[in-house]
Amino acid sequence: MNSLIVQKYGGSSLADAERIKSAARRIARSREDGNQVVAVVSAMGDTTDDLISQAHTVTDNPDPRELALLLSTGEIVSCTLVTMALRALGYNAIGLSGGQAGIRTSTDYTRARIVDIDPSRILAELREDRIVVVAGFQGATEDSEVTTLGRGASDTTAVALAAALEARICEIYTDVDGIFTADPRVVPEARVLESLTYEEMLELASYGAKMHPRSIELGAMYNIPILVTSSFKDVPGTLIH
């Protein structure tokens, strides 16, 4: 059985140093279980909003190219810190930007779409027995221009990489226990669903469930099981398949 898994950690799971170290320990446990691991990370906490606010302190109309380059730094910070935390635990790990990871995109700087993934660099690092940490939400054009994929698109990065690498599963770690029957903040008796089809998840996403629709479409297209679960506790989560 393919032992390669892709894990994605959202911004709330990486909001401070302790959470970054916790994510690194979870990645390390997966490695100890005999898996090759590629981890995709979002920017820490509210970093993306903060960067957008900073851009607007100097101009009312940020240039799309420079804005994409600025926003991409949020995920680079997470990527390097998670890699450092893994190395501090004694693991051989390497961080890669989206472009370094082979993610090629369209030329729409701040709302780009993934057009191709060349997984050769990631596969080479895995052959060297490294854990690979990839900055989500970003890629590069054929001309090496840095692009971002739109809000929430680290999910898409993770599932697209899982497809390109023919991973066994894509695990999405977040601040909730899984996909609920309703918003638990509004409906206290809402419960976590054990499993969903891609079609059911797409419908829930259209009603506001926190998953990027494009990631679900890619999961369905390439038949990649997606597990949505908590990064803060050990719970079964929701399997989308």
Side-chain angles (χ1 to χ4, degrees):
M1 178 180 284
N2 186 356
S3 65
L4 172 60
I5 62 174
V6 174
Q7 297 182 340
K8 180 260 179 177
Y9 291 87
S12 58
S13 305
L14 305 168
D16 54 36
E18 282 310 309
R19 290 186 179 183
I20 283 172
K21 288 191 277 190
S22 175
R25 288 191 294 270
R26 188 178 286 276
I27 293 166
R29 283 204 302 274
S30 295
R31 185 72 188 87
E32 288 301 315
D33 287 340
N35 299 299
Q36 292 182 302
V37 185
V38 176
V40 175
V41 295
S42 298
M44 296 171 64
D46 297 323
T47 297
T48 303
D49 289 332
D50 293 342
L51 290 171
I52 291 171
S53 295
Q54 287 185 47
H56 283 278
T57 63
V58 296
T59 176
D60 293 331
N61 189 25
D63 178 79
R65 179 190 182 276
E66 307 309 325
L67 184 61
L69 192 57
L70 174 67
L71 297 183
S72 72
T73 64
E75 277 69 19
I76 297 293
V77 170
S78 294
C79 174
T80 51
L81 291 177
V82 170
T83 303
M84 290 176 190
L86 283 163
R87 285 181 167 267
L89 292 172
Y91 291 87
N92 190 0
I94 188 168
L96 301 175
S97 69
Q100 289 173 323
I103 298 170
R104 294 287 167 262
T105 74
S106 63
T107 55
D108 187 356
Y109 286 109
T110 58
R111 294 189 62 82
R113 286 177 71 88
I114 297 171
V115 295
D116 185 42
I117 294 180
D118 176 2
S120 56
R121 173 70 186 275
I122 294 176
L123 291 170
E125 301 296 350
L126 291 171
R127 283 194 295 272
E128 294 296 322
D129 206 29
R130 293 190 177 104
I131 295 169
V132 182
V133 185
V134 178
F137 171 68
Q138 62 181 259
T141 68
E142 281 198 14
D143 297 326
S144 300
E145 291 289 305
V146 173
T147 59
T148 54
L149 306 176
R151 298 306 290 264
S154 289
D155 287 348
T156 304
T157 303
V159 178
L161 281 175
L165 295 164
E166 298 182 354
R168 176 167 56 84
I169 193 168
C170 181
E171 299 173 347
I172 308 284
Y173 288 95
T174 181
D175 55 0
V176 294
D177 292 354
I179 304 298
F180 283 78
T181 51
D183 188 338
R185 294 168 298 183
V186 179
V187 184
E189 62 271 23
R191 58 184 176 82
V192 176
L193 293 159
E194 184 179 320
S195 67
L196 286 166
T197 65
Y198 300 113
E199 291 77 11
E200 289 167 336
M201 186 63 228
L202 269 175
E203 187 171 347
L204 285 176
S206 72
Y207 288 113
K210 287 204 305 182
M211 265 203 79
H212 201 282
R214 181 64 181 151
S215 66
I216 305 158
E217 291 168 358
L218 283 169
M221 190 181 303
Y222 293 99
N223 198 29
I224 300 294
I226 303 168
L227 178 71
V228 181
T229 190
S230 172
S231 61
F232 304 129
K233 48 191 173 180
D234 291 322
V235 293
T238 303
L239 185 66
I240 304 162
H241 61 109

